[in-house]
Amino acid sequence: MTDASPGALHHLEIWVGDLSAAEWSWGWLLTRLGYEVRDRWPDGVSWGRDTGPYVVLESGPDVASAPHDRLRPGLNHLAFWGGSRSDVDALVRDAPAHGWSLLFADRHPFAGGPEHYAAYLEDAQGFEVELVASDGGTPPTP
């Protein structure tokens, strides 16, 4: 059942400079997290699950040619539940073969704090995701 109450997230749309590269890295990750391709068009693709928000990657004539920088004002990262600690570890192990690199390797898997088991990955276009373990993924205090 979809949560259509006011304030519930409907979808995320990420504009990318290179759709093919983004689909290669993000498609692998989203598929591993249980998402499926829902729609495809010349400048984009969307992934969804049975319920909840869906994720769109889009590139087209309206997308500026400037690279994404997670350190500039705007989106820093997206956080997903990554499954168990062993699931998160498996994602980290497989991620480099799909264009992702591990951030904060010197503090991994506790870069978010001693009680927050998570992986922080960055794709080749500079987008960051946080994969939080369900068994040890208490959100850090801002």
Side-chain angles (χ1 to χ4, degrees):
M1 173 181 282
T2 299
D3 179 4
S5 62
L9 188 63
H10 184 270
H11 72 276
L12 297 168
E13 186 164 329
I14 304 169
W15 282 18
V16 298
D18 183 340
L19 181 61
S20 178
E23 188 171 355
W24 177 65
S25 58
W26 281 88
W28 167 80
L29 180 62
L30 292 169
T31 299
R32 287 281 297 263
L33 294 175
Y35 289 72
E36 298 176 348
V37 172
R38 293 295 170 88
D39 196 12
R40 184 179 302 278
W41 57 100
D43 294 326
V45 59
S46 68
W47 282 270
R49 297 170 58 126
D50 292 338
T51 62
Y54 59 94
V55 178
V56 175
L57 296 176
E58 189 166 4
S59 181
D62 293 333
V63 177
S65 62
H68 175 74
D69 184 344
R70 65 183 178 80
L71 300 177
R72 296 184 75 121
L75 179 71
N76 176 264
H77 71 276
L78 298 177
F80 295 95
W81 288 109
S84 68
R85 288 179 180 210
S86 61
D87 292 332
V88 170
D89 293 342
L91 287 165
V92 169
R93 182 188 65 239
D94 296 344
H98 302 278
W100 294 94
S101 58
L102 181 65
L103 295 170
F104 320 117
D106 60 326
R107 295 178 280 152
H108 174 75
F110 296 105
E115 303 297 323
H116 188 70
Y117 196 101
Y120 297 84
L121 303 175
E122 184 177 40
D123 77 352
Q125 294 186 63
F127 289 96
E128 179 184 345
V129 296
E130 177 181 356
L131 302 172
V132 182
S134 55
D135 53 349
T138 305
T141 306

